Amino acid sequence: MAAVFAPVCVPAQEPAGEKPLAARVKDWHALLDRYEKTLAKGDLDDDRLVEIRTELASLRLAARSAADLAQPLVQSARDELAALGPPPGEGEPPEAAGVAAKRKAIAERLTNMEGSMKEAGLVITRADGLTERLQALRRSRFTERVLTRGPSPLSPSVWRKGFQEMAEAAAALHQDFTAWLAGDAAAAKLDQMRWQLPIAVLTAVLIAWPLRLWFIRRFGYVELAAEPTYGQRLRTALVTGIIRTLIPSAAVLALYLGFTAGDLVSDRVQNIVEPLAAMLVMFFFVVAFCRAALAPGEPLWRLVALGDHGAKVIARIVTAMTAVFAIDAVVNAWGKRFEWSVELMALHNFVTGLSIALLLLVILRRRIWESEAGTARWPGLRYALTLLVYAIPIAALPGYVVLSRLLAIQLVLSIGLYVLVTVLAKIGDEFVNHTLSEHAIVGRHLRSNLEVSPEGIDALSFWLTGLVRLSIGLAGILALLVLWGAGGSDLSAWLYEAVFGFKIGNITVSLADLAFGLLMFGGMLVLTRFVQRTLEHRILPRTRIDPGLQHSIRTAVGYLGFTLALITLISAAGFDVSQLAIIAGALSVGIGMGLQNVVNNFVSGLILLAERPIKVGDWIVVGETQGYVKKISVRATEVLTFDSASVFIPNSELIAHPVTNRTYADKVGRIVIPVSFTYGTDARKVCETLMQVATAHPKVLRHPGPFVFFKEFGPSSMNFEVIAFVADVDTMKSMTSELCIEIDAACRREGLSMPYPQRDVHLDFDQEQLARLLARLGTPQLSPAAPGALPSDGA
């Protein structure tokens, strides 16, 4: 079998001298024929079924890999035929003999390779069919085994036979151990290690115990000024768990290796001690990390939201559960090696399942899972688990001990796997957050060298955390499948298809190519960011290009880098770039149905960057909005108003509507100050005074110089205008204020009067109203009234 199967497990690239694909396909078909004949007999045991299934999975992987390796060769042959051009048609002159011979040879080679690839596909199909038959056979056997009724634990004969067999096994073991001790070789070895082994163990304890205490004081539950963060609690739990695991595990392994290396135990005793040592190490590991996570007595360092009572009870239950699993594994190992009877194994399985059920019922009590508000968490899940727990002893009592044991073991292992996945997800979150923090090297590099904003760091942390959680979740799902009976070879085949390509319709999706494309996409974006930063800080500032054009160049480089990165992603993911025309056609339909505004703004943004009617730093006026251009992005332009508010104006608005750019050509600004004087004021003196004020200010430009105009005769004043120019438009408001102050001071010195508004008031009274008003005005003034007296009616 091994000789026939050897060519199946081919590497990714065939070494020199490997059989051609056609020969290997022939061998694979022959091997599949043998498997079909073997399965037709129907007398295979479970181990042989698992072996055949593993071989079929390997054969399938080999056929798939060979087909994938042959695909480039097929494409190369097609390209060669395309390079030769189409064959001459009817009525055309024949092609050269050499070209015709080459065309024929290439066509034959292409036909053979395509035929071999189809044969490889047939091998995969046959392997899948045989695998389905194997799985159906194993499922039927598993169902039959689980649902087969065995001896009931309620039968007294089962208990009598079980205790009798255990007594006989203990007596046989004692007899073997006594006989081994009576031998001369064992006496000599024991005498030799009588003092060495105790002294070595005592020395190890004296060294390890203070070291353990120091590690716990240094990295364990240290006193902090504030409440520890979740990351600190997680790191402390990991460290304390490792510390509490290493020393007792090392002691157990040292004793085991000391006895076995010195040949101090017999083979029968070693068959008992070996699984016992392994289970002790597993027990120390689980208990140490459980106590480190629950931290009974240390609520500040607890990883889960539980009260002190709940944490202590769960820690004890997990310790007892681990002990039950360890004893179960040891007893099963002993039962297989010493071929215990069905009654004894049924009794052991019943006791194990009953112990697990009792412990689970204790841990599912409402009081343990009550929050501080008094409400119990996860009531539905607890009720469902309680029903499953009650099913464990109920299934065992009538004799379905295998089903009871399977339910108990798988239930606990599934819960443990969920806890493990949750802890690993938390560890992944803390690792990502720590890596991207400002205290880590990567975080400092992203902030300083690549100038990633805090919002960018948060977004990167979100996506990386999601990716880590997704990876851990998928690994947990695979582990759960293995836990419930999925074979490793089946998972390997599924993973191979998922990673190296699976078909959806006519499209082949490869996670490996997609991951490589995403990696290239991220690398291209990082490179683009690095080039932008180099241009912005090292190259462009040393040129005479204005800041607006520098920003346009930097933005154009970003667009170009993103486009190249997107094309790289599409190409690396295995998609044909030439098929983008179909996607473009679909996008055109979408644009016509509702994306025209988005595309319009995008194209308008490109026009703004190319023509540069506005640039970053310009003072623009758009309708009722005015301010400085802060950023020109793909969709909109950000304008920072004078009251520090950001207004986002769509790029299409800046192209389709008038825009006033106060700093387009230069930053020179014009100030216009209206001034009014009363009638009768000397107009020439007013012009001279205003001109002196304007020319005396140091920030008013001489070219063009200031002007004073007699604008008009107003309703109640003579109106003048002072026009002055400043070098920086940003100083217009401050300059206007300074000139107004100087004009007011000069007018006061020169005695120039500024008018108040004059109004004519017309009163429309009839004769009776006017007579009463005049009578009222002609009434003599009354003498002051006495204190506390009321005025008279005629007052």
Side-chain angles (χ1 to χ4, degrees):
M1 179 66 67
V4 178
F5 185 66
V8 174
C9 301
V10 296
Q13 293 183 356
E14 297 179 1
E18 186 70 37
K19 288 184 178 180
L21 180 58
R24 281 180 288 164
V25 166
K26 185 178 180 180
D27 293 339
W28 292 335
H29 279 298
L31 187 59
L32 291 172
D33 293 337
R34 294 185 57 181
Y35 287 154
E36 289 180 349
K37 293 179 181 179
T38 304
L39 287 177
K41 296 179 181 178
D43 56 351
L44 300 176
D45 56 7
D46 292 341
D47 293 336
R48 182 55 183 155
L49 289 178
V50 173
E51 181 182 352
I52 293 178
R53 189 179 67 171
T54 304
E55 293 175 355
L56 285 174
S58 300
L59 186 148
R60 190 184 187 284
L61 290 177
R64 177 64 183 275
S65 177
D68 291 341
L69 291 175
Q71 183 64 40
L73 300 178
V74 172
Q75 186 61 40
S76 176
R78 291 173 179 169
D79 294 340
E80 292 177 7
L81 283 178
L84 292 178
E90 184 178 358
E92 297 181 357
E95 59 185 357
V99 175
K102 290 181 179 180
R103 186 189 302 277
K104 182 179 179 181
I106 295 173
E108 291 178 354
R109 178 158 51 91
L110 177 60
T111 302
N112 293 332
M113 287 189 295
E114 289 179 342
S116 299
M117 289 182 61
K118 292 179 180 179
E119 289 289 338
L122 180 59
V123 168
I124 295 174
T125 303
R126 291 186 62 188
D128 289 339
L130 288 176
T131 302
E132 289 294 332
R133 289 174 57 185
L134 283 173
Q135 290 177 347
L137 181 59
R138 293 186 69 247
R139 282 194 296 268
S140 63
R141 289 186 179 183
F142 176 78
T143 304
E144 181 181 359
R145 187 182 301 112
V146 169
L147 298 180
T148 299
R149 185 176 179 181
S152 173
L154 298 178
S155 174
S157 60
V158 174
W159 291 87
R160 285 196 301 268
K161 187 172 181 179
F163 282 123
Q164 180 181 358
E165 190 169 351
M166 284 190 292
E168 292 175 355
L173 181 63
H174 180 267
Q175 183 179 0
D176 291 346
F177 185 70
T178 304
W180 175 79
L181 287 178
D184 296 335
K189 292 176 181 177
L190 288 175
D191 184 68
Q192 180 181 0
M193 300 188 65
R194 178 179 301 173
W195 299 103
Q196 296 178 1
L197 189 59
I199 292 175
V201 173
L202 180 61
T203 303
V205 171
L206 292 177
I207 294 175
W209 188 257
L211 186 63
R212 176 181 182 273
L213 294 178
W214 181 84
F215 268 106
I216 291 179
R217 286 195 301 268
R218 177 66 177 82
F219 301 102
Y221 305 130
V222 297
E223 295 184 1
L224 298 177
E227 184 177 352
T229 62
Y230 190 85
Q232 291 175 328
R233 287 181 286 167
L234 185 59
R235 289 191 293 270
T236 301
L238 292 176
V239 172
T240 53
I242 293 173
I243 292 171
R244 290 171 175 170
T245 303
L246 285 179
I247 295 178
S249 300
V252 171
L253 292 177
L255 289 174
Y256 172 73
L257 293 176
F259 279 100
T260 55
D263 197 15
L264 295 179
V265 293
S266 62
D267 294 338
R268 188 179 182 90
V269 176
Q270 185 172 356
N271 289 334
I272 297 176
V273 172
E274 182 178 350
L276 182 61
M279 290 303 106
L280 281 175
V281 173
M282 186 270 290
F283 174 80
F284 292 140
F285 176 82
V286 175
V287 172
F289 277 93
C290 173
R291 294 184 63 83
L294 296 176
E298 298 287 345
L300 292 178
W301 297 93
R302 194 166 296 146
L303 294 180
V304 292
L306 290 174
D308 291 337
H309 174 72
K312 292 178 181 179
V313 172
I314 292 177
R316 294 169 186 168
I317 295 299
V318 171
T319 301
M321 190 81 69
T322 308
V324 170
F325 268 76
I327 295 173
D328 175 71
V330 172
V331 172
N332 280 332
W334 291 351
K336 289 181 180 179
R337 292 183 180 180
F338 303 125
E339 298 180 355
W340 286 355
S341 63
V342 177
E343 289 80 5
L344 183 56
M345 293 304 299
L347 185 61
H348 159 66
N349 292 333
F350 172 72
V351 173
T352 300
L354 185 61
S355 302
I356 293 175
L358 293 176
L359 292 174
L360 287 176
L361 288 177
V362 174
I363 206 173
L364 290 174
R365 289 184 302 174
R366 173 187 174 89
R367 182 183 175 187
I368 297 177
W369 300 99
E370 283 184 351
S371 61
E372 296 180 356
T375 58
R377 289 167 292 183
W378 308 315
L381 179 61
R382 289 190 298 106
Y383 293 151
L385 291 177
T386 302
L387 293 177
L388 291 177
V389 170
Y390 277 119
I392 295 173
I394 293 175
L397 292 178
Y400 298 100
V401 181
V402 177
L403 177 61
S404 173
R405 170 187 168 80
L406 177 68
L407 185 60
I409 298 297
Q410 300 301 92
L411 182 60
V412 175
L413 291 180
S414 299
I415 296 174
L417 179 62
Y418 171 76
V419 173
L420 178 62
V421 169
T422 303
V423 173
L424 290 178
K426 294 291 185 181
I427 294 175
D429 294 346
E430 291 298 325
F431 176 77
V432 171
N433 293 331
H434 175 73
T435 302
L436 298 180
S437 66
E438 58 184 5
H439 304 292
I441 298 177
V442 176
R444 289 198 302 268
H445 177 74
L446 290 175
R447 288 172 172 83
S448 59
N449 295 342
L450 297 180
E451 295 183 349
V452 180
S453 63
E455 293 79 8
I457 294 293
D458 292 340
L460 182 61
S461 175
F462 171 78
W463 289 109
L464 288 180
T465 301
L467 181 61
V468 171
R469 283 178 170 265
L470 178 62
S471 302
I472 294 175
L474 291 177
I477 293 174
L478 294 179
L480 186 65
L481 292 176
V482 173
L483 185 63
W484 285 92
S489 56
D490 295 333
L491 293 180
S492 300
W494 297 342
L495 289 176
Y496 184 89
E497 287 189 356
V499 172
F500 294 102
F502 58 94
K503 286 188 174 296
I504 301 179
N506 294 327
I507 301 176
T508 301
V509 180
S510 173
L511 295 183
D513 294 340
L514 184 60
F516 177 73
L518 291 174
L519 184 62
M520 292 294 296
F521 180 76
M524 290 285 292
L525 291 183
V526 172
L527 180 61
T528 302
R529 181 63 178 168
F530 176 76
V531 172
Q532 285 182 300
R533 182 178 176 276
T534 303
L535 288 173
E536 183 179 5
H537 294 284
R538 296 184 180 181
I539 298 178
L540 294 179
R542 299 186 179 183
T543 63
R544 296 184 178 180
I545 303 175
D546 62 88
L549 183 56
Q550 292 181 16
H551 175 77
S552 299
I553 294 174
R554 182 180 180 277
T555 306
V557 170
Y559 289 159
L560 179 61
F562 180 81
T563 304
L564 293 178
L566 186 61
I567 294 175
T568 303
L569 171 62
I570 295 174
S571 300
F575 297 100
D576 189 1
V577 181
S578 61
Q579 295 179 354
L580 292 178
I582 302 176
I583 301 176
L587 287 178
S588 63
V589 177
I591 292 171
M593 296 179 63
L595 296 179
Q596 64 270 22
N597 291 332
V598 177
V599 176
N600 187 15
N601 289 325
F602 175 74
V603 175
S604 299
L606 296 180
I607 294 174
L608 291 176
L609 291 174
E611 294 186 354
R612 298 175 57 246
I614 62 173
K615 54 186 180 296
V616 175
D618 284 353
W619 178 359
I620 66 172
V621 180
V622 183
E624 297 181 355
T625 302
Q626 63 174 326
Y628 297 101
V629 177
K630 185 177 180 181
K631 182 180 180 182
I632 302 175
S633 60
V634 175
R635 189 193 65 85
T637 296
E638 181 180 359
V639 177
L640 184 65
T641 62
F642 298 127
D643 55 357
S644 297
S646 293
V647 179
F648 295 90
I649 303 174
N651 293 330
S652 59
E653 296 291 329
L654 301 176
I655 296 296
H657 297 85
V659 178
T660 301
N661 191 339
R662 293 185 179 271
T663 57
Y664 178 71
D666 50 43
K667 299 195 72 175
V668 175
R670 191 182 72 158
I671 299 175
V672 179
I673 302 176
V675 187
S676 299
F677 295 93
T678 59
Y679 281 104
T681 306
D682 188 354
R684 294 186 181 276
K685 186 177 181 181
V686 169
C687 292
E688 292 175 358
T689 303
L690 296 179
M691 193 66 181
Q692 290 174 1
V693 172
T695 56
H697 199 286
K699 293 185 179 181
V700 174
L701 295 179
R702 299 297 180 264
H703 302 284
F707 300 93
V708 177
F709 296 98
F710 191 153
K711 184 178 180 181
E712 63 181 355
F713 293 98
S716 56
S717 62
M718 297 186 297
N719 299 329
F720 296 81
E721 274 188 355
V722 180
I723 299 176
F725 296 89
V726 293
D728 191 354
V729 71
D730 296 334
T731 63
M732 286 180 57
K733 289 187 177 296
S734 61
M735 282 291 299
T736 301
S737 176
E738 294 176 6
L739 288 175
C740 288
I741 294 173
E742 294 295 332
I743 290 173
D744 178 69
C747 291
R748 291 176 185 274
R749 288 195 306 267
E750 300 295 333
L752 301 176
S753 176
M754 295 184 182
Y756 294 102
Q758 297 181 6
R759 297 290 184 268
D760 294 333
V761 180
H762 298 275
L763 301 177
D764 187 10
F765 294 123
D766 56 16
Q767 293 296 329
E768 183 180 356
Q769 290 174 339
L770 183 59
R772 285 202 302 267
L773 177 61
L774 293 175
R776 215 26 111 156
L777 292 175
T779 302
Q781 186 176 0
L782 299 175
S783 60
L790 295 174
S792 61
D793 294 340

